[in-house]
Amino acid sequence: SDSGCINRDSTWITVRPAVNLVVSASQSICEGDNVQLNAAGGSQYRWEPAAGLSNATIANPIASPAETTLYTTYASNAAGCTDTGQVNVTVWKRPVANAGPDLWTINGASIQLQGSASGSDLRYSWTPVSNMNAPDSLRPFVTLTASGFLQVFTFQLEVISNPGCGRSLDEMTVSVFESFKVPNTFTPNGDGYNDTWEIELLSVFNQAVVEVYNTTGNLVFSSV
């Protein structure tokens, strides 16, 4: 005290052993596969989230997540000390190829294929590649020539997973007509002769404008 009097006391500090948690490095798996997570340094464990784990309360559970997931483990020891660690599991989606709908066109007309794909980190290739501008893209343009009135060409789209999660194939066809003919006259008088007027392949051309004129040049019908 200010007057020089002294008194002393003591207390104990108990140092408990710490948890020196060690966890496995981040992992990558293909969709549908699994991987074992590893933790050490504690006596009890709790993993979160528990979804996709074989057992969320052991040191080395098997993880089968459907999506990329960050797992956190909470470790403790008999002294009640705790530590946390994290393991990220990246899930590569397997490839699914869709070559798109079958298409129609006429000789020499360029047409764009309508391919699509799902999956993670993909590359694409079409076959055959002749008369195709970009066979390594999903929607290349092709220019085809028919031999005869109609010729059907088959194209295959292959989608490959760069991380090694497989490949997927799909096919589509392009029907190529030699020519596009529009009848220049018809007589819709109900006598059973030339009463109808049909333009073959008109469905190939989206938003086509069709107009019918009479013999004096007057417009009598129009449709899109």
Side-chain angles (χ1 to χ4, degrees), residues 144-191:
L144 303 170
T145 301
S147 176
F149 175 70
L150 169 64
Q151 186 173 353
V152 179
F153 296 83
T154 299
F155 292 91
Q156 183 182 76
L157 172 63
E158 181 179 26
V159 179
I160 301 173
S161 165
N162 288 320
C165 295
R167 65 183 189 131
S168 177
L169 301 171
D170 194 29
E171 291 184 348
M172 55 82 64
T173 62
V174 178
S175 298
V176 181
F177 291 86
E178 185 179 23
S179 61
F180 183 81
K181 298 178 180 179
V182 181
N184 63 358
T185 58
F186 73 113
T187 56
N189 57 4
D191 64 359

Side-chain angles (χ1 to χ4, degrees), residues 18-24 37-50 53 55-61 70-78 80-87:
V19 176
N20 297 314
L21 180 63
V22 178
V23 297
S24 54
L37 308 184
N38 295 289
S43 57
Q44 293 182 320
Y45 302 89
R46 185 181 85 255
W47 293 86
E48 292 182 359
L53 296 181
N55 189 331
T57 60
I58 61 176
N60 310 114
L70 179 64
Y71 288 103
T72 300
T73 183
Y74 302 88
S76 60
N77 60 15
C81 296
T82 62
D83 197 4
T84 61
Q86 292 183 319
V87 180

Side-chain angles (χ1 to χ4, degrees), residues 66-103:
E67 306 286 343
T68 296
T69 303
L70 179 64
Y71 288 103
T72 300
T73 183
Y74 302 88
S76 60
N77 60 15
C81 296
T82 62
D83 197 4
T84 61
Q86 292 183 319
V87 180
N88 189 66
V89 178
T90 300
V91 178
W92 298 107
K93 295 293 185 179
R94 296 187 183 276
V96 178
N98 181 356
D102 294 336
L103 302 174

